[in-house]
Amino acid sequence: MKFNECLKHQRELYGCTQKQMAELIGIAPRSYQRYESGEREPNIDTLIQIADFFSITLDALVGRDLT
């Protein structure tokens, strides 16, 4: 799974909208939408913040399979 797919999946599991997610991590809603659409990728600090928010590893967030 690609990062944008993992991000959307996690957000949907959490049960919030893109706008709510953007507010929770302190970014503009359009920036968050671009992450989910695959147009942009967040910087490392934002990736860490998102992973911490969902209580998952960075590997899980970016779709890295460690098996």
Side-chain angles (χ1 to χ4, degrees):
M1 205 183 296
K2 295 180 181 180
F3 164 71
N4 63 315
E5 296 167 342
C6 291
L7 182 61
K8 181 178 180 180
H9 176 75
Q10 288 297 320
R11 177 183 58 79
E12 289 174 342
L13 285 177
Y14 192 79
C16 65
T17 66
Q18 288 182 342
K19 183 178 178 183
Q20 290 169 326
M21 191 63 210
E23 290 171 0
L24 289 168
I25 61 172
I27 62 172
R30 184 65 185 134
S31 292
Y32 185 85
Q33 291 167 354
R34 287 180 176 142
Y35 296 160
E36 278 197 14
S37 71
E39 293 174 50
R40 288 186 59 197
E41 292 182 354
N43 64 33
I44 189 67
D45 292 330
T46 304
L47 277 173
I48 291 168
Q49 186 178 7
I50 293 169
D52 286 349
F53 178 80
F54 289 129
S55 297
I56 60 174
T57 65
L58 286 173
D59 287 327
L61 182 61
V62 300
R64 185 169 177 223
D65 184 8
L66 298 176
T67 57

Coordinates of all heavy atoms in Angstrom, one line a residue:
M1 N 0.8 -1.2 0.0 CA 0.0 0.0 0.0 C 0.9 1.2 0.0 O 1.9 1.3 0.7 CB -0.9 0.0 1.3 CG -2.2 0.8 1.1 SD -3.2 0.8 2.6 CE -3.7 -0.8 2.8
K2 N 0.5 2.2 -0.8 CA 1.3 3.5 -0.8 C 0.9 4.4 0.4 O -0.1 4.2 1.0 CB 0.9 4.2 -2.1 CG 1.4 3.5 -3.4 CD 1.0 4.4 -4.6 CE 1.4 3.7 -5.8 NZ 1.0 4.4 -7.0
F3 N 1.8 5.4 0.6 CA 1.6 6.3 1.7 C 0.2 6.9 1.7 O -0.5 6.9 2.7 CB 2.6 7.4 1.8 CG 2.2 8.6 2.6 CD1 2.2 8.4 4.0 CD2 1.8 9.8 2.1 CE1 1.8 9.5 4.8 CE2 1.4 10.8 2.9 CZ 1.4 10.7 4.3
N4 N -0.2 7.5 0.6 CA -1.5 8.1 0.5 C -2.7 7.2 0.8 O -3.6 7.5 1.5 CB -1.7 8.9 -0.8 CG -1.8 8.0 -2.0 OD1 -0.9 7.1 -2.1 ND2 -2.7 8.2 -2.9
E5 N -2.6 5.9 0.4 CA -3.6 4.9 0.7 C -3.6 4.6 2.2 O -4.7 4.4 2.8 CB -3.3 3.7 -0.1 CG -3.5 3.9 -1.6 CD -3.0 2.7 -2.5 OE1 -2.2 1.9 -1.9 OE2 -3.3 2.7 -3.6
C6 N -2.4 4.4 2.8 CA -2.3 4.2 4.2 C -2.9 5.3 5.0 O -3.6 5.1 6.0 CB -0.9 3.9 4.6 SG -0.1 2.4 4.0
L7 N -2.6 6.5 4.6 CA -3.1 7.7 5.3 C -4.6 7.7 5.3 O -5.2 7.9 6.4 CB -2.5 9.0 4.7 CG -2.8 10.3 5.3 CD1 -2.4 10.3 6.8 CD2 -2.3 11.4 4.5
K8 N -5.2 7.5 4.1 CA -6.6 7.5 4.0 C -7.2 6.4 4.9 O -8.2 6.6 5.6 CB -7.1 7.4 2.6 CG -8.6 7.4 2.4 CD -9.0 7.4 1.0 CE -10.5 7.4 0.8 NZ -10.9 7.3 -0.6
H9 N -6.6 5.2 4.8 CA -7.1 4.1 5.6 C -7.1 4.4 7.1 O -8.1 4.2 7.8 CB -6.3 2.9 5.3 CG -6.6 1.7 6.1 ND1 -7.8 0.9 5.8 CD2 -6.0 1.1 7.1 CE1 -7.8 -0.1 6.7 NE2 -6.8 0.0 7.5
Q10 N -6.0 5.0 7.6 CA -5.9 5.3 9.0 C -6.9 6.3 9.4 O -7.6 6.2 10.4 CB -4.5 5.7 9.3 CG -3.5 4.6 9.3 CD -3.7 3.6 10.4 OE1 -4.1 3.8 11.5 NE2 -3.5 2.3 10.0
R11 N -7.1 7.3 8.6 CA -8.1 8.4 8.9 C -9.5 7.8 8.9 O -10.2 8.2 9.9 CB -8.0 9.5 7.8 CG -9.0 10.6 8.1 CD -9.0 11.7 7.0 NE -9.2 11.2 5.7 CZ -10.4 10.9 5.1 NH1 -11.5 11.0 5.9 NH2 -10.5 10.5 3.9
E12 N -9.8 7.0 8.0 CA -11.1 6.4 8.0 C -11.3 5.5 9.2 O -12.4 5.5 9.8 CB -11.4 5.6 6.7 CG -11.5 6.6 5.5 CD -11.6 5.9 4.2 OE1 -11.2 4.7 4.1 OE2 -12.1 6.5 3.2
L13 N -10.3 4.7 9.6 CA -10.4 3.9 10.8 C -10.6 4.8 12.1 O -11.4 4.4 13.0 CB -9.1 3.1 11.1 CG -8.9 1.9 10.2 CD1 -7.5 1.3 10.5 CD2 -10.0 0.9 10.4
Y14 N -10.0 6.0 12.1 CA -10.1 6.9 13.2 C -11.5 7.6 13.2 O -12.0 8.0 14.2 CB -9.0 7.9 13.1 CG -8.9 8.8 14.4 CD1 -8.3 8.3 15.5 CD2 -9.4 10.0 14.4 CE1 -8.2 9.0 16.7 CE2 -9.3 10.8 15.6 CZ -8.7 10.3 16.7 OH -8.6 11.0 17.8
G15 N -12.1 7.6 12.0 CA -13.5 8.2 11.9 C -13.6 9.7 11.8 O -14.5 10.3 12.3
C16 N -12.6 10.3 11.1 CA -12.7 11.7 10.9 C -12.6 12.1 9.5 O -12.2 11.4 8.6 CB -11.7 12.5 11.8 SG -10.0 12.2 11.4
T17 N -13.0 13.4 9.2 CA -12.9 13.9 7.8 C -11.5 14.4 7.6 O -10.7 14.6 8.5 CB -13.9 15.1 7.7 OG1 -13.5 16.2 8.5 CG2 -15.3 14.7 8.0
Q18 N -11.2 14.7 6.3 CA -10.0 15.3 5.9 C -9.8 16.6 6.6 O -8.7 16.9 7.1 CB -9.9 15.5 4.4 CG -9.7 14.2 3.6 CD -9.6 14.4 2.2 OE1 -9.9 15.5 1.6 NE2 -9.1 13.4 1.4
K19 N -10.8 17.4 6.7 CA -10.7 18.7 7.3 C -10.4 18.6 8.8 O -9.5 19.3 9.4 CB -12.0 19.5 7.2 CG -12.0 20.9 7.8 CD -13.3 21.6 7.5 CE -13.2 23.0 8.2 NZ -14.4 23.8 8.0
Q20 N -11.1 17.6 9.5 CA -10.8 17.4 10.9 C -9.4 16.9 11.1 O -8.7 17.4 12.0 CB -11.8 16.4 11.5 CG -13.2 16.9 11.6 CD -14.1 15.7 11.9 OE1 -14.0 14.6 11.4 NE2 -15.2 16.1 12.7
M21 N -8.9 16.1 10.2 CA -7.5 15.5 10.4 C -6.5 16.7 10.2 O -5.6 16.8 11.0 CB -7.3 14.5 9.3 CG -6.1 13.7 9.5 SD -6.1 12.7 11.0 CE -4.3 12.7 11.3
A22 N -6.8 17.5 9.2 CA -5.9 18.7 9.0 C -5.8 19.6 10.2 O -4.7 20.0 10.7 CB -6.3 19.5 7.8
E23 N -6.9 19.8 10.8 CA -7.0 20.6 12.1 C -6.2 20.0 13.2 O -5.5 20.6 14.0 CB -8.4 20.9 12.4 CG -9.1 21.9 11.5 CD -10.6 22.0 11.7 OE1 -11.2 21.3 12.7 OE2 -11.3 22.7 11.0
L24 N -6.4 18.6 13.3 CA -5.8 17.9 14.4 C -4.3 17.9 14.3 O -3.6 17.9 15.4 CB -6.3 16.5 14.4 CG -7.7 16.3 14.9 CD1 -8.2 14.9 14.6 CD2 -7.9 16.6 16.4
I25 N -3.7 18.0 13.1 CA -2.3 18.0 13.0 C -1.7 19.4 12.7 O -0.5 19.5 12.5 CB -1.7 16.9 12.0 CG1 -2.3 17.1 10.6 CG2 -2.1 15.5 12.5 CD1 -1.7 16.2 9.6
G26 N -2.6 20.3 12.6 CA -2.2 21.7 12.4 C -1.7 22.1 11.0 O -0.8 22.9 10.9
I27 N -2.4 21.6 10.0 CA -2.0 22.0 8.6 C -3.3 22.5 7.9 O -4.4 22.2 8.4 CB -1.3 20.9 7.8 CG1 -2.3 19.7 7.7 CG2 0.0 20.5 8.5 CD1 -1.7 18.6 6.7
A28 N -3.1 23.1 6.7 CA -4.3 23.5 5.9 C -5.0 22.3 5.4 O -4.3 21.3 5.0 CB -3.8 24.4 4.8
P29 N -6.3 22.4 5.3 CA -7.1 21.2 4.8 C -6.6 20.9 3.3 O -6.5 19.7 3.0 CB -8.5 21.7 4.8 CG -8.6 22.7 5.9 CD -7.2 23.4 5.9
R30 N -6.3 21.8 2.5 CA -5.9 21.5 1.1 C -4.5 20.8 1.1 O -4.3 19.9 0.3 CB -5.7 22.8 0.3 CG -5.4 22.6 -1.1 CD -6.5 21.8 -1.9 NE -6.0 21.5 -3.2 CZ -6.2 20.3 -3.8 NH1 -6.8 19.4 -3.2 NH2 -5.7 20.1 -5.0
S31 N -3.7 21.1 2.1 CA -2.4 20.3 2.2 C -2.7 18.9 2.5 O -2.1 18.0 1.9 CB -1.5 21.0 3.2 OG -1.0 22.2 2.8
Y32 N -3.6 18.7 3.4 CA -3.9 17.3 3.8 C -4.5 16.6 2.6 O -4.2 15.4 2.4 CB -4.8 17.3 5.0 CG -5.1 15.9 5.5 CD1 -4.2 15.2 6.3 CD2 -6.1 15.1 5.0 CE1 -4.3 13.9 6.7 CE2 -6.3 13.8 5.3 CZ -5.4 13.2 6.2 OH -5.6 11.9 6.5
Q33 N -5.4 17.2 1.9 CA -6.1 16.6 0.7 C -5.0 16.2 -0.3 O -5.1 15.1 -0.9 CB -7.1 17.6 0.1 CG -8.3 17.8 1.0 CD -9.1 19.0 0.4 OE1 -8.7 19.7 -0.5 NE2 -10.2 19.2 1.1
R34 N -4.0 17.0 -0.4 CA -2.9 16.7 -1.4 C -2.1 15.4 -0.9 O -1.7 14.7 -1.8 CB -2.0 17.9 -1.6 CG -2.7 18.9 -2.4 CD -1.8 20.1 -2.6 NE -2.4 21.1 -3.5 CZ -2.3 22.4 -3.4 NH1 -1.6 22.9 -2.4 NH2 -3.0 23.2 -4.2
Y35 N -2.0 15.3 0.4 CA -1.3 14.1 0.9 C -2.1 12.8 0.5 O -1.6 11.8 0.0 CB -1.2 14.1 2.4 CG -0.3 15.2 3.0 CD1 -0.4 15.6 4.3 CD2 0.6 15.9 2.2 CE1 0.4 16.5 4.8 CE2 1.4 16.9 2.7 CZ 1.3 17.2 4.1 OH 2.1 18.2 4.6
E36 N -3.4 12.9 0.7 CA -4.3 11.7 0.4 C -4.4 11.4 -1.1 O -4.6 10.3 -1.5 CB -5.7 11.8 1.1 CG -5.7 11.4 2.5 CD -7.0 11.2 3.1 OE1 -8.0 11.0 2.3 OE2 -7.1 11.1 4.3
S37 N -4.4 12.5 -1.9 CA -4.5 12.3 -3.3 C -3.2 11.8 -4.0 O -3.2 11.4 -5.1 CB -5.0 13.6 -4.0 OG -3.9 14.6 -4.0
G38 N -2.1 11.9 -3.2 CA -0.8 11.6 -3.7 C -0.1 12.7 -4.5 O 1.0 12.5 -5.0
E39 N -0.6 13.9 -4.4 CA 0.0 15.0 -5.1 C 1.2 15.5 -4.4 O 2.2 16.0 -5.0 CB -1.0 16.2 -5.2 CG -2.2 16.0 -6.1 CD -3.1 17.1 -6.0 OE1 -2.7 18.3 -6.2 OE2 -4.3 16.8 -5.9
R40 N 1.2 15.4 -3.1 CA 2.3 15.8 -2.2 C 2.6 14.8 -1.1 O 1.8 14.0 -0.8 CB 2.0 17.1 -1.5 CG 2.0 18.3 -2.4 CD 1.7 19.6 -1.6 NE 2.8 19.8 -0.7 CZ 2.7 20.6 0.4 NH1 1.6 21.3 0.6 NH2 3.7 20.8 1.2
E41 N 3.8 14.9 -0.6 CA 4.1 14.1 0.6 C 4.6 15.0 1.7 O 5.3 16.0 1.4 CB 5.2 13.0 0.3 CG 4.7 12.0 -0.7 CD 5.7 10.9 -1.0 OE1 6.9 11.1 -0.6 OE2 5.4 10.0 -1.7
P42 N 4.3 14.7 2.9 CA 4.7 15.6 4.1 C 6.1 15.4 4.4 O 6.8 14.4 4.0 CB 3.8 15.0 5.2 CG 3.5 13.6 4.9 CD 3.4 13.6 3.4
N43 N 6.7 16.5 5.0 CA 8.0 16.4 5.5 C 8.1 15.4 6.6 O 7.1 15.0 7.2 CB 8.6 17.8 5.8 CG 7.9 18.4 7.0 OD1 7.4 17.8 7.9 ND2 7.7 19.7 6.9
I44 N 9.3 15.1 7.1 CA 9.5 14.1 8.1 C 8.9 14.5 9.4 O 8.3 13.6 10.1 CB 11.0 13.8 8.3 CG1 11.2 12.5 9.2 CG2 11.8 15.0 8.8 CD1 10.7 11.2 8.6
D45 N 8.9 15.7 9.8 CA 8.3 16.2 11.0 C 6.8 15.9 11.0 O 6.2 15.5 12.0 CB 8.6 17.6 11.3 CG 10.0 17.9 11.6 OD1 10.7 17.0 12.2 OD2 10.5 19.0 11.3
T46 N 6.1 16.2 9.9 CA 4.7 16.0 9.8 C 4.4 14.5 9.7 O 3.4 14.1 10.3 CB 4.2 16.7 8.5 OG1 4.5 18.1 8.6 CG2 2.6 16.5 8.4
L47 N 5.2 13.7 9.1 CA 5.1 12.3 9.1 C 5.1 11.7 10.5 O 4.2 10.9 10.9 CB 6.2 11.6 8.2 CG 6.0 11.5 6.7 CD1 7.2 11.0 6.1 CD2 4.8 10.7 6.4
I48 N 6.0 12.2 11.3 CA 6.2 11.7 12.7 C 4.9 12.1 13.4 O 4.4 11.3 14.2 CB 7.4 12.3 13.3 CG1 8.7 11.6 12.7 CG2 7.4 12.1 14.8 CD1 10.0 12.3 13.0
Q49 N 4.5 13.3 13.2 CA 3.3 13.8 13.9 C 2.0 13.0 13.6 O 1.2 12.6 14.5 CB 3.0 15.3 13.6 CG 1.9 15.9 14.3 CD 1.8 17.4 14.0 OE1 2.4 17.9 13.0 NE2 0.9 18.1 14.7
I50 N 1.9 12.6 12.3 CA 0.8 11.8 11.9 C 0.9 10.4 12.5 O -0.1 9.9 13.0 CB 0.7 11.8 10.3 CG1 0.3 13.2 9.8 CG2 -0.4 10.7 9.9 CD1 0.5 13.3 8.3
A51 N 2.0 9.8 12.4 CA 2.2 8.5 13.0 C 1.9 8.5 14.5 O 1.3 7.6 15.0 CB 3.6 8.0 12.7
D52 N 2.4 9.5 15.2 CA 2.2 9.6 16.6 C 0.7 9.7 16.9 O 0.1 9.1 17.8 CB 2.9 10.7 17.2 CG 4.4 10.5 17.4 OD1 4.9 9.3 17.2 OD2 5.1 11.5 17.6
F53 N 0.0 10.5 16.1 CA -1.4 10.7 16.2 C -2.2 9.4 16.2 O -3.1 9.1 17.0 CB -1.9 11.7 15.2 CG -3.4 12.0 15.3 CD1 -3.9 12.8 16.3 CD2 -4.3 11.3 14.5 CE1 -5.3 13.0 16.4 CE2 -5.6 11.5 14.6 CZ -6.2 12.3 15.5
F54 N -1.8 8.6 15.2 CA -2.5 7.3 15.0 C -1.9 6.2 15.8 O -2.4 5.1 15.8 CB -2.4 6.9 13.5 CG -3.3 7.7 12.6 CD1 -2.7 8.3 11.4 CD2 -4.6 7.9 12.8 CE1 -3.5 9.0 10.6 CE2 -5.4 8.7 12.0 CZ -4.9 9.2 10.8
S55 N -0.8 6.5 16.6 CA -0.1 5.5 17.4 C 0.3 4.3 16.6 O 0.1 3.1 16.9 CB -1.0 5.0 18.5 OG -1.3 6.1 19.4
I56 N 0.9 4.6 15.4 CA 1.5 3.6 14.5 C 2.9 4.0 14.2 O 3.4 5.1 14.4 CB 0.7 3.4 13.2 CG1 0.6 4.7 12.4 CG2 -0.7 2.9 13.5 CD1 0.0 4.6 11.1
T57 N 3.7 3.0 13.7 CA 5.1 3.3 13.3 C 5.1 4.1 12.0 O 4.1 4.0 11.2 CB 5.9 2.0 13.1 OG1 5.3 1.3 12.0 CG2 5.9 1.2 14.4
L58 N 6.2 4.7 11.7 CA 6.4 5.3 10.4 C 6.4 4.3 9.3 O 5.8 4.6 8.2 CB 7.7 6.1 10.4 CG 7.8 7.4 11.1 CD1 9.2 8.0 11.1 CD2 6.8 8.4 10.5
D59 N 6.9 3.1 9.6 CA 6.9 2.1 8.6 C 5.5 1.7 8.2 O 5.2 1.6 7.0 CB 7.6 0.8 9.1 CG 9.1 1.0 9.1 OD1 9.7 1.7 8.2 OD2 9.8 0.4 10.0
A60 N 4.6 1.6 9.2 CA 3.2 1.3 8.9 C 2.5 2.4 8.1 O 1.8 2.2 7.2 CB 2.5 1.0 10.2
L61 N 2.8 3.6 8.5 CA 2.2 4.8 7.8 C 2.6 4.9 6.4 O 1.8 5.3 5.5 CB 2.6 6.1 8.6 CG 2.0 7.4 8.0 CD1 0.5 7.3 8.1 CD2 2.5 8.6 8.8
V62 N 3.8 4.6 6.0 CA 4.3 4.7 4.7 C 4.1 3.4 3.9 O 4.5 3.3 2.7 CB 5.7 5.2 4.5 CG1 5.9 6.6 5.2 CG2 6.7 4.3 5.1
G63 N 3.5 2.4 4.5 CA 3.2 1.2 3.8 C 4.4 0.2 3.6 O 4.4 -0.6 2.7
R64 N 5.3 0.4 4.4 CA 6.5 -0.5 4.3 C 6.3 -1.8 5.0 O 5.9 -1.9 6.2 CB 7.7 0.2 5.0 CG 9.0 -0.5 4.8 CD 10.2 0.4 5.3 NE 11.4 -0.4 5.2 CZ 12.3 -0.5 6.1 NH1 12.2 0.3 7.2 NH2 13.4 -1.2 5.9
D65 N 6.5 -2.9 4.3 CA 6.3 -4.2 4.8 C 7.6 -4.8 5.2 O 8.5 -4.9 4.4 CB 5.7 -5.1 3.6 CG 5.4 -6.5 4.1 OD1 5.4 -6.8 5.3 OD2 5.0 -7.3 3.2
L66 N 7.7 -5.1 6.5 CA 9.0 -5.5 7.1 C 9.1 -7.1 7.1 O 10.0 -7.6 7.7 CB 9.1 -5.0 8.5 CG 9.2 -3.5 8.5 CD1 9.3 -3.0 10.0 CD2 10.4 -2.9 7.7
T67 N 8.2 -7.8 6.4 CA 8.3 -9.2 6.5 C 9.3 -9.7 5.4 O 9.6 -9.1 4.5 CB 6.9 -9.9 6.2 OG1 6.4 -9.4 5.0 CG2 6.1 -9.6 7.4

